């Protein structure tokens, strides 16, 4: 688009907005602080009573009227009030007895404030508006990688600085997927011509190219230590050991159409894959490595549209959340040990991405038509906690910061937005990061 030619990638995109806490344009009364019985009395009987009192009045009647008003709490001066005025507490027991019977109330966790607007918006011109791709990832070193057309950009969340990692040749591109290795330094870049490039972000150097495994574009990637799993439009899923010269160690066959979602479980034992054939597969490494012809552990066929959104639960083993496309619109929860569907929730719109909170029992989903929103759900009740709007096109990609608090979302509207949706982690939960061996540490040279 012509407007995109004059826009710099990942530059601050300012939009005028009001504070969500301000309502300065009108007075909204507090209904709970209103006394409608008194209001009705004052507008009808009250005036009539005053006229009658003025006509026929005596000291005894006036005293009786005042006493009645005090008893019925009718001595109001305002019908509408800004705030509730607490009533005086009624002491049912003498103070010496009530103090002994008083129990310490249970500590109630205060409701977390969830900002309804994005904290920051960056321009993302030329981002490919394709549901089946995965073009955004946030590494453990707090660097965000995003693919815009033929170029992969790195945005350092600590400093706010932007750098260009690589621009792919037109005959190979565009970039169709990106994924950080666990070390936060190496990044895999999937291409439209079926190749996968491995890059060292620290030295801005290409380490090697994986080719020959797929016959068409690679739209999904997932790391499992030194194993890079790739999913292609050809329906194949390939495990690549990046430490060895011939990297292909396993091939999973089960999808009949493009593999658009790949996620390894936290233990690294199970792999979830979602495809344009509406199928979710669960693969187990122990089963796969023992068989020359790999067989899935579970084949889940309840979705009625493409499944790209996959998210393993961080606090409950063997719990997987999946989201269906425009013809399905549901989020489903699975016990991957048994293959049972635990719950299915109709979201009303295309589910593009799913992220679990690392700190709370909450799930975030991103959507397409009609609201293009992010929805925060409480698990397992699946009560909506918040709906975050601002994108004007389907929110195709989401990524989570290393501390688990901030979520970045990218959409077809060519903007990248940051949401402080998951709150602040408890200091007690902060632990020293585990040392992750670099995936290329055992190799002296990689061609």
């Amino acid at each position: 688009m012509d407007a995109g030619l004059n826009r710099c990638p990942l530059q601050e995109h300012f939009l005028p907005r009001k504070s969500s806490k301000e309502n300065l344009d009108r007075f909204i009364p507090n209904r709970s602080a209103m006394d409608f019985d008194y209001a009705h009395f004052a507008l009808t009987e009250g005036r009539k009573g005053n006229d009658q009192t003025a006509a026929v009045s005596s000291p005894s009647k006036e005293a009786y009227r005042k006493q009645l008003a005090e008893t019925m709490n009718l001595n109001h001066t305002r019908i509408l009030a800004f705030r509730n005025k607490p009533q005086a507490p009624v002491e049912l027991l003498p103070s010496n007895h009530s103090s002994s019977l008083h129990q310490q109330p249970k500590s109630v966790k205060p409701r977390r404030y969830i900002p309804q607007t994005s904290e920051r918006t960056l321009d993302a011109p030329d981002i490919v508006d394709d549901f089946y791709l995965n073009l955004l990832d946030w590494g453990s070193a707090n660097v965000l990688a995003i693919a815009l057309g033929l170029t992969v950009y790195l945005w350092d969340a600590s400093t706010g600085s932007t750098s260009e990692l690589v621009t792919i040749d037109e005959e190979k591109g565009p970039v169709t997927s990106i994924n950080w290795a666990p070390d936060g330094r190496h990044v895999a870049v999937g291409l439209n011509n079926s190749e996968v490039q491995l890059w060292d972000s620290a030295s801005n150097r290409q380490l090697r190219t994986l080719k020959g495994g797929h016959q068409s574009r690679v739209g999904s990637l997932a790391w499992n230590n030194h194993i890079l799993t790739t999913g292609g439009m050809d329906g194949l899923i390939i495990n690549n050991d990046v430490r060895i010269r011939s990297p292909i160690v396993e091939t999973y066959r089960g999808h009949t159409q493009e593999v658009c979602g790949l996620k390894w479980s936290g233990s690294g034992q199970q792999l979830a894959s979602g495809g344009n054939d509406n199928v979710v597969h669960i693969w187990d490494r122990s089963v796969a490595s023992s068989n020359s012809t790999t067989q899935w552990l579970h084949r889940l066929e309840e979705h009625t549209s493409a499944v790209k959104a996959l998210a393993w639960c961080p606090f409950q083993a063997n719990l997987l959340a999946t989201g269906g496309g425009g013809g399905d619109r549901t989020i489903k929860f699975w016990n991957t040990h048994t293959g049972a569907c635990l719950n299915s929730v109709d979201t009303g719109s295309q589910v593009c991405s799913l992220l679990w909170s690392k700190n709370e029992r909450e799930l975030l989903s991103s959507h397409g038509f009609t609201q293009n929103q992010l929805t925060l759900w409480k698990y397992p009740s699946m009560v909506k906690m918040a709906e975050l709007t601002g994108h004007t096109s389907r929110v195709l990609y989401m990524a989570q910061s290393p501390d688990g608090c901030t979520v970045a979302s990218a959409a077809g509207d060519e903007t990248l937005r940051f949401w402080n949706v998951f709150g602040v982690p408890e200091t007690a939960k902060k632990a020293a990061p585990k040392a992750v061996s670099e995936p290329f540490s055992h190799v002296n040279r990689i061609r």
Side-chain angles (χ1 to χ4, degrees):
M1 57 186 291
D2 295 337
L5 297 176
N6 299 322
R7 294 164 61 193
C8 297
L10 306 187
Q11 295 298 308
E12 195 84 28
H13 186 70
F14 294 101
L15 291 173
R17 60 189 175 103
K18 288 184 178 181
S19 170
S20 60
K21 297 181 179 178
E22 292 181 347
N23 280 308
L24 304 180
D25 58 338
R26 57 188 174 145
F27 165 65
I28 302 176
N30 186 344
R31 295 178 67 89
S32 63
M34 303 177 193
D35 191 333
F36 288 101
D37 292 335
Y38 173 69
H40 183 266
F41 170 79
L43 293 174
T44 57
E45 300 299 327
R47 177 174 297 181
K48 189 187 302 182
N50 290 339
D51 294 340
Q52 295 173 353
T53 304
V56 182
S57 179
S58 68
S60 60
K61 285 186 177 181
E62 184 66 20
Y64 172 75
R65 188 186 66 79
K66 289 183 178 180
Q67 183 69 26
L68 180 64
E70 290 288 344
T71 305
M72 302 301 293
N73 195 25
L74 295 179
N75 287 334
H76 291 279
T77 57
R78 291 183 301 172
I79 297 176
L80 303 180
F82 281 95
R83 293 183 176 84
N84 298 338
K85 291 186 178 180
Q87 296 181 352
V90 178
E91 191 173 14
L92 300 177
L93 296 174
S95 57
N96 57 339
H97 291 286
S98 61
S99 59
S100 60
L101 296 175
H102 180 69
Q103 295 181 352
Q104 190 70 20
K106 294 182 180 179
S107 59
V108 179
K109 190 174 182 180
R111 185 179 180 88
R112 190 176 82 252
Y113 170 67
I114 304 171
Q116 300 296 300
T117 55
S118 55
E119 298 296 313
R120 182 194 295 260
T121 302
L122 303 181
D123 283 320
D126 301 322
I127 192 168
V128 179
D129 187 0
D130 191 327
F131 175 80
Y132 304 101
L133 305 184
N134 294 274
L135 304 179
L136 183 70
D137 196 28
W138 204 328
S140 59
N142 206 19
V143 178
L144 190 80
I146 184 171
L148 304 178
L150 296 168
T151 306
V152 176
Y153 291 95
L154 304 180
W155 184 77
D156 191 324
S158 302
T159 63
S161 60
T162 304
S163 61
E164 180 182 320
L165 178 68
V166 57
T167 296
I168 305 298
D169 297 335
E170 286 191 19
E171 61 270 16
K172 295 182 179 180
V175 177
T176 51
S177 54
I178 53 176
N179 196 235
W180 283 102
D183 60 9
R185 172 173 175 171
H186 300 94
V187 62
V189 180
L191 303 180
N192 192 60
N193 73 336
S194 78
E195 295 180 359
V196 178
Q197 295 183 359
L198 303 181
W199 283 80
D200 185 337
S201 64
S203 60
N204 239 56
R205 184 170 60 95
Q206 183 179 351
L207 301 175
R208 71 182 298 181
T209 299
L210 308 178
K211 60 177 67 176
H214 293 283
Q215 304 303 315
S216 53
R217 72 179 186 181
V218 180
S220 52
L221 300 166
W223 285 92
N224 187 0
N225 293 323
H226 54 270
I227 298 293
L228 173 62
T229 305
T230 60
M233 184 181 271
D234 52 15
L236 295 180
I237 300 170
I238 298 175
N239 285 341
N240 301 271
D241 189 335
V242 298
R243 304 170 299 178
I244 58 180
R245 182 182 296 273
S246 300
I248 299 177
V249 291
E250 288 158 350
T251 300
Y252 299 163
R253 292 178 172 86
H255 290 284
T256 58
Q257 295 188 43
E258 180 167 18
V259 179
C260 48
L262 283 176
K263 285 292 189 314
W264 281 99
S265 64
S267 65
Q269 191 64 31
Q270 291 186 336
L271 172 71
S273 64
N276 193 27
D277 53 6
N278 311 344
V279 173
V280 176
H281 281 117
I282 307 298
W283 312 85
D284 193 284
R285 287 216 68 195
S286 60
V287 175
S289 59
S290 62
N291 297 327
S292 56
T293 57
T294 302
Q295 181 68 23
W296 56 79
L297 182 65
H298 298 293
R299 179 180 172 90
L300 313 173
E301 301 179 279
E302 278 81 350
H303 281 290
T304 58
S305 189
V307 182
K308 173 194 173 186
L310 304 168
W312 289 93
C313 180
F315 55 82
Q316 186 173 333
N318 298 321
L319 176 60
L320 175 71
T322 62
D328 180 88
R329 304 181 300 276
T330 67
I331 298 174
K332 297 183 187 299
F333 298 91
W334 310 88
N335 180 334
T336 62
H337 180 69
T338 63
C341 183
L342 305 176
N343 192 13
S344 181
V345 179
D346 188 351
T347 67
S349 59
Q350 179 186 53
V351 183
C352 302
S353 186
L354 292 170
L355 287 174
W356 287 96
S357 169
K358 297 180 181 179
N359 309 310
E360 303 289 343
R361 291 180 176 247
E362 298 168 2
L363 180 70
L364 183 69
S365 57
S366 72
H367 299 271
F369 182 81
T370 60
Q371 288 185 270
N372 307 307
Q373 83 279 19
L374 283 72
T375 302
L376 183 63
W377 309 83
K378 189 69 178 176
Y379 184 83
S381 65
M382 293 305 286
V383 172
K384 287 184 182 180
M385 299 180 64
E387 287 199 335
L388 312 178
T389 57
H391 282 294
T392 57
S393 182
R394 55 184 180 175
V395 188
L396 293 170
Y397 318 111
M398 286 199 304
Q400 194 172 11
S401 61
D403 64 8
C405 299
T406 306
V407 170
S409 62
D413 60 11
E414 298 188 323
T415 64
L416 175 65
R417 294 172 182 264
F418 295 84
W419 311 84
N420 184 19
V421 63
F422 285 140
V424 180
E426 298 178 17
T427 54
K429 294 182 179 180
K430 292 182 179 179
K434 297 180 180 178
V436 180
S437 60
E438 296 183 0
F440 310 101
S441 58
H442 302 289
V443 182
N444 294 327
R445 185 178 66 177
I446 300 178
R447 293 184 179 179

